[in-house]
Coordinates of all heavy atoms in Angstrom, one line a residue:
L1 N 63.7 -9.1 -39.8 CA 64.7 -9.2 -40.8 C 65.4 -10.5 -40.9 O 65.8 -11.0 -41.9 CB 65.7 -8.1 -40.6 CG 66.9 -8.0 -41.6 CD1 67.1 -6.5 -41.9 CD2 68.2 -8.5 -41.0
D2 N 65.5 -11.2 -39.7 CA 66.1 -12.5 -39.7 C 65.4 -13.5 -40.6 O 66.1 -14.3 -41.3 CB 66.2 -13.1 -38.3 CG 64.9 -13.1 -37.6 OD1 64.1 -12.1 -37.8 OD2 64.6 -14.0 -36.8
E3 N 64.1 -13.5 -40.6 CA 63.3 -14.4 -41.5 C 63.6 -14.0 -43.0 O 63.7 -14.9 -43.8 CB 61.9 -14.4 -41.2 CG 61.5 -15.1 -39.9 CD 62.0 -16.5 -39.9 OE1 61.8 -17.2 -40.9 OE2 62.5 -16.9 -38.8
Q4 N 63.7 -12.8 -43.3 CA 63.9 -12.3 -44.6 C 65.3 -12.8 -45.1 O 65.5 -13.2 -46.3 CB 63.9 -10.8 -44.7 CG 62.5 -10.2 -44.5 CD 61.5 -10.6 -45.6 OE1 61.8 -10.9 -46.7 NE2 60.2 -10.6 -45.2
V5 N 66.3 -12.8 -44.2 CA 67.6 -13.2 -44.6 C 67.6 -14.8 -44.8 O 68.2 -15.3 -45.7 CB 68.7 -12.8 -43.5 CG1 70.1 -13.4 -43.9 CG2 68.8 -11.3 -43.4
R6 N 66.9 -15.5 -43.9 CA 66.8 -16.9 -44.1 C 66.2 -17.3 -45.4 O 66.6 -18.3 -46.1 CB 66.0 -17.5 -43.0 CG 66.7 -17.6 -41.6 CD 65.8 -18.4 -40.6 NE 66.5 -18.6 -39.3 CZ 66.3 -17.9 -38.3 NH1 65.4 -16.9 -38.3 NH2 67.0 -18.1 -37.2
Q7 N 65.2 -16.5 -45.9 CA 64.5 -16.8 -47.1 C 65.4 -16.5 -48.3 O 65.4 -17.2 -49.3 CB 63.2 -16.1 -47.2 CG 62.2 -16.6 -46.2 CD 60.9 -15.7 -46.2 OE1 60.6 -15.0 -47.1 NE2 60.1 -15.8 -45.1
S8 N 66.1 -15.4 -48.3 CA 66.8 -14.9 -49.4 C 68.3 -15.2 -49.4 O 68.9 -15.2 -50.5 CB 66.6 -13.3 -49.6 OG 67.2 -12.7 -48.5
G9 N 68.9 -15.4 -48.2 CA 70.3 -15.6 -48.1 C 71.1 -14.3 -48.4 O 72.3 -14.3 -48.7
S10 N 70.4 -13.1 -48.2 CA 71.0 -11.8 -48.5 C 70.5 -10.8 -47.6 O 69.3 -10.6 -47.4 CB 70.7 -11.5 -50.0 OG 71.0 -10.1 -50.3
I11 N 71.5 -10.0 -47.0 CA 71.1 -8.8 -46.2 C 70.5 -7.8 -47.1 O 69.5 -7.1 -46.7 CB 72.3 -8.3 -45.5 CG1 72.9 -9.3 -44.5 CG2 72.0 -6.9 -44.8 CD1 72.1 -9.5 -43.3
T12 N 71.0 -7.6 -48.3 CA 70.5 -6.5 -49.2 C 69.0 -6.8 -49.5 O 68.2 -5.9 -49.5 CB 71.3 -6.5 -50.5 OG1 72.7 -6.2 -50.1 CG2 70.8 -5.5 -51.4
E13 N 68.7 -8.1 -49.9 CA 67.3 -8.4 -50.2 C 66.4 -8.3 -49.0 O 65.3 -7.9 -49.1 CB 67.3 -9.9 -50.7 CG 67.9 -10.1 -52.1 CD 67.3 -9.2 -53.2 OE1 66.1 -9.0 -53.2 OE2 68.1 -8.7 -54.0
A14 N 66.9 -8.6 -47.8 CA 66.2 -8.5 -46.6 C 65.9 -7.0 -46.3 O 64.7 -6.6 -45.9 CB 66.9 -9.1 -45.4
F15 N 66.9 -6.1 -46.5 CA 66.6 -4.7 -46.3 C 65.6 -4.2 -47.3 O 64.7 -3.4 -46.9 CB 67.9 -3.9 -46.5 CG 68.8 -3.8 -45.3 CD1 70.2 -3.8 -45.4 CD2 68.3 -3.7 -44.0 CE1 71.0 -3.7 -44.3 CE2 69.1 -3.5 -42.9 CZ 70.5 -3.5 -43.1
R16 N 65.7 -4.6 -48.5 CA 64.7 -4.2 -49.5 C 63.3 -4.6 -49.2 O 62.4 -3.8 -49.4 CB 65.1 -4.8 -50.9 CG 64.3 -4.2 -52.1 CD 64.8 -4.7 -53.4 NE 66.1 -4.1 -53.7 CZ 67.3 -4.7 -53.8 NH1 67.3 -6.0 -53.7 NH2 68.4 -4.1 -54.1
A17 N 63.2 -5.8 -48.7 CA 61.8 -6.3 -48.3 C 61.2 -5.4 -47.1 O 60.0 -5.4 -47.0 CB 61.9 -7.7 -47.9
L18 N 62.1 -4.8 -46.3 CA 61.6 -4.0 -45.2 C 61.7 -2.5 -45.5 O 61.7 -1.7 -44.6 CB 62.5 -4.3 -44.0 CG 62.3 -5.8 -43.5 CD1 63.1 -6.0 -42.2 CD2 60.8 -6.1 -43.1
G19 N 61.8 -2.2 -46.8 CA 61.7 -0.8 -47.2 C 63.0 0.0 -47.4 O 63.0 1.2 -47.6
V20 N 64.2 -0.6 -47.3 CA 65.4 0.0 -47.5 C 66.0 -0.3 -48.9 O 66.5 -1.4 -49.1 CB 66.5 -0.3 -46.4 CG1 67.8 0.4 -46.7 CG2 66.0 0.0 -45.0
A21 N 65.7 0.6 -49.8 CA 66.1 0.3 -51.2 C 67.6 0.3 -51.5 O 68.1 -0.3 -52.4 CB 65.4 1.2 -52.1
D22 N 68.3 1.2 -50.7 CA 69.7 1.3 -50.9 C 70.4 1.7 -49.6 O 69.7 2.3 -48.7 CB 70.0 2.4 -51.9 CG 71.5 2.4 -52.4 OD1 72.2 1.4 -52.2 OD2 71.9 3.4 -52.9
Y23 N 71.7 1.4 -49.4 CA 72.4 1.7 -48.2 C 73.9 1.7 -48.5 O 74.3 1.2 -49.6 CB 72.1 0.7 -47.1 CG 72.6 -0.7 -47.3 CD1 73.8 -1.2 -46.8 CD2 71.7 -1.6 -48.0 CE1 74.2 -2.5 -47.0 CE2 72.1 -2.9 -48.3 CZ 73.4 -3.3 -47.8 OH 73.7 -4.6 -48.0
T24 N 74.7 2.4 -47.7 CA 76.1 2.5 -48.0 C 76.9 2.2 -46.7 O 76.4 2.3 -45.6 CB 76.5 3.9 -48.5 OG1 76.1 4.9 -47.5 CG2 75.9 4.2 -49.8
R25 N 78.1 1.8 -46.9 CA 79.0 1.6 -45.8 C 79.6 2.9 -45.3 O 80.3 3.6 -46.1 CB 80.1 0.6 -46.1 CG 81.1 0.3 -45.0 CD 81.8 -1.1 -45.2 NE 80.8 -2.2 -45.2 CZ 81.2 -3.4 -45.1 NH1 82.5 -3.8 -45.0 NH2 80.3 -4.4 -45.0
V26 N 79.5 3.2 -44.0 CA 80.0 4.4 -43.5 C 81.4 4.2 -43.0 O 82.3 5.1 -43.1 CB 79.1 4.9 -42.3 CG1 79.7 6.1 -41.6 CG2 77.7 5.2 -42.8
E27 N 81.7 3.1 -42.5 CA 83.0 2.8 -41.8 C 83.4 1.4 -41.8 O 82.5 0.5 -41.7 CB 82.9 3.3 -40.4 CG 84.2 3.1 -39.5 CD 84.0 3.5 -38.1 OE1 84.1 4.7 -37.8 OE2 83.6 2.7 -37.2
S28 N 84.7 1.1 -42.0 CA 85.2 -0.3 -41.9 C 86.5 -0.2 -41.2 O 87.4 0.7 -41.5 CB 85.5 -0.9 -43.3 OG 84.2 -1.1 -44.0
R29 N 86.7 -1.0 -40.2 CA 88.0 -1.1 -39.5 C 88.5 -2.6 -39.6 O 87.7 -3.5 -39.2 CB 87.8 -0.8 -38.0 CG 87.4 0.7 -37.8 CD 87.2 1.0 -36.3 NE 86.7 2.4 -36.1 CZ 87.6 3.4 -36.0 NH1 88.9 3.2 -36.0 NH2 87.1 4.7 -35.8
I30 N 89.7 -2.7 -40.0 CA 90.3 -4.0 -40.3 C 91.4 -4.3 -39.4 O 92.3 -3.5 -39.2 CB 90.7 -4.1 -41.8 CG1 89.6 -3.8 -42.7 CG2 91.2 -5.6 -42.1 CD1 90.0 -3.6 -44.2
S31 N 91.5 -5.5 -38.8 CA 92.6 -5.9 -38.0 C 92.8 -7.4 -38.1 O 91.9 -8.1 -38.5 CB 92.4 -5.5 -36.5 OG 91.2 -6.2 -36.0
A32 N 94.0 -7.9 -37.7 CA 94.3 -9.3 -37.7 C 94.3 -9.8 -36.3 O 94.8 -9.1 -35.4 CB 95.6 -9.6 -38.4
Q33 N 93.7 -11.0 -36.0 CA 93.7 -11.5 -34.7 C 93.5 -13.0 -34.7 O 93.2 -13.6 -35.8 CB 92.5 -10.9 -33.9 CG 91.1 -11.2 -34.4 CD 90.1 -10.7 -33.5 OE1 89.1 -11.4 -33.1 NE2 90.2 -9.4 -33.0
M34 N 93.7 -13.7 -33.6 CA 93.5 -15.1 -33.5 C 92.0 -15.3 -33.3 O 91.3 -14.6 -32.5 CB 94.3 -15.7 -32.3 CG 95.8 -15.4 -32.4 SD 96.5 -16.0 -34.0 CE 96.2 -17.8 -33.9
P35 N 91.4 -16.3 -33.9 CA 90.0 -16.6 -33.7 C 89.6 -17.2 -32.4 O 90.4 -17.9 -31.8 CB 89.7 -17.5 -34.9 CG 90.9 -18.3 -35.0 CD 92.0 -17.3 -34.8
S36 N 88.4 -17.0 -32.0 CA 87.8 -17.8 -30.9 C 87.6 -19.2 -31.3 O 87.6 -19.5 -32.6 CB 86.5 -17.2 -30.4 OG 85.5 -17.4 -31.4
A37 N 87.4 -20.1 -30.4 CA 87.2 -21.5 -30.7 C 86.0 -21.6 -31.6 O 85.9 -22.4 -32.6 CB 87.1 -22.4 -29.5
E38 N 84.9 -20.9 -31.3 CA 83.7 -20.9 -32.0 C 83.9 -20.4 -33.5 O 83.4 -21.0 -34.4 CB 82.6 -20.0 -31.3 CG 81.3 -20.0 -32.0 CD 80.2 -19.2 -31.3 OE1 80.6 -18.2 -30.6 OE2 79.0 -19.4 -31.5
T39 N 84.6 -19.3 -33.6 CA 84.8 -18.8 -34.9 C 85.6 -19.8 -35.8 O 85.3 -20.0 -37.0 CB 85.6 -17.4 -34.8 OG1 84.8 -16.5 -34.1 CG2 85.9 -16.9 -36.2
A40 N 86.7 -20.3 -35.2 CA 87.5 -21.3 -35.9 C 86.7 -22.5 -36.4 O 86.9 -23.0 -37.5 CB 88.7 -21.7 -35.1
T41 N 85.8 -22.9 -35.5 CA 84.9 -24.1 -35.9 C 84.0 -23.8 -37.0 O 83.9 -24.6 -38.0 CB 84.1 -24.5 -34.6 OG1 84.9 -24.9 -33.6 CG2 83.1 -25.7 -35.0
W42 N 83.4 -22.6 -37.0 CA 82.5 -22.3 -38.1 C 83.2 -22.0 -39.4 O 82.7 -22.4 -40.5 CB 81.7 -21.0 -37.7 CG 80.5 -21.3 -36.8 CD1 80.4 -20.8 -35.5 CD2 79.4 -22.1 -37.1 NE1 79.2 -21.3 -35.0 CE2 78.6 -22.1 -35.9 CE3 78.9 -22.8 -38.2 CZ2 77.3 -22.8 -35.8 CZ3 77.7 -23.5 -38.1 CH2 77.0 -23.5 -37.0
L43 N 84.5 -21.5 -39.3 CA 85.2 -21.3 -40.5 C 86.0 -22.5 -41.0 O 86.6 -22.5 -42.0 CB 86.2 -20.1 -40.3 CG 85.6 -18.7 -40.1 CD1 86.8 -17.7 -39.8 CD2 84.9 -18.3 -41.4
R44 N 85.9 -23.6 -40.2 CA 86.6 -24.9 -40.5 C 88.1 -24.6 -40.7 O 88.6 -25.0 -41.8 CB 85.9 -25.5 -41.7 CG 84.4 -25.8 -41.6 CD 84.0 -27.0 -42.4 NE 84.2 -26.8 -43.8 CZ 83.2 -26.6 -44.7 NH1 82.0 -26.5 -44.3 NH2 83.5 -26.4 -46.0
Q45 N 88.7 -24.0 -39.8 CA 90.1 -23.7 -39.8 C 90.8 -24.0 -38.5 O 90.1 -24.0 -37.5 CB 90.4 -22.3 -40.3 CG 90.1 -21.2 -39.2 CD 90.7 -19.9 -39.6 OE1 90.4 -19.3 -40.6 NE2 91.5 -19.4 -38.7
P46 N 92.1 -24.2 -38.4 CA 92.8 -24.4 -37.1 C 92.6 -23.1 -36.3 O 92.6 -22.0 -36.8 CB 94.2 -24.6 -37.5 CG 94.2 -25.1 -39.0 CD 93.0 -24.4 -39.6
A47 N 92.5 -23.4 -35.0 CA 92.4 -22.2 -34.0 C 93.6 -21.4 -34.0 O 93.5 -20.2 -33.5 CB 92.0 -22.8 -32.6
M48 N 94.8 -21.9 -34.4 CA 96.0 -21.1 -34.3 C 96.3 -20.4 -35.6 O 97.3 -19.7 -35.8 CB 97.2 -22.1 -34.0 CG 97.1 -22.7 -32.7 SD 96.9 -21.5 -31.3 CE 98.5 -20.7 -31.5

């Protein structure tokens, strides 16, 4: 699946290529927190 995502830039397209035509979100949990140094770097934002 990783190669499919690299080629298409899409999880949905990667799933489709591997036989999953549709899928749904079962659960989402949202919270606010301070980012790790790695996360802040990738998001190009201050760590604070």
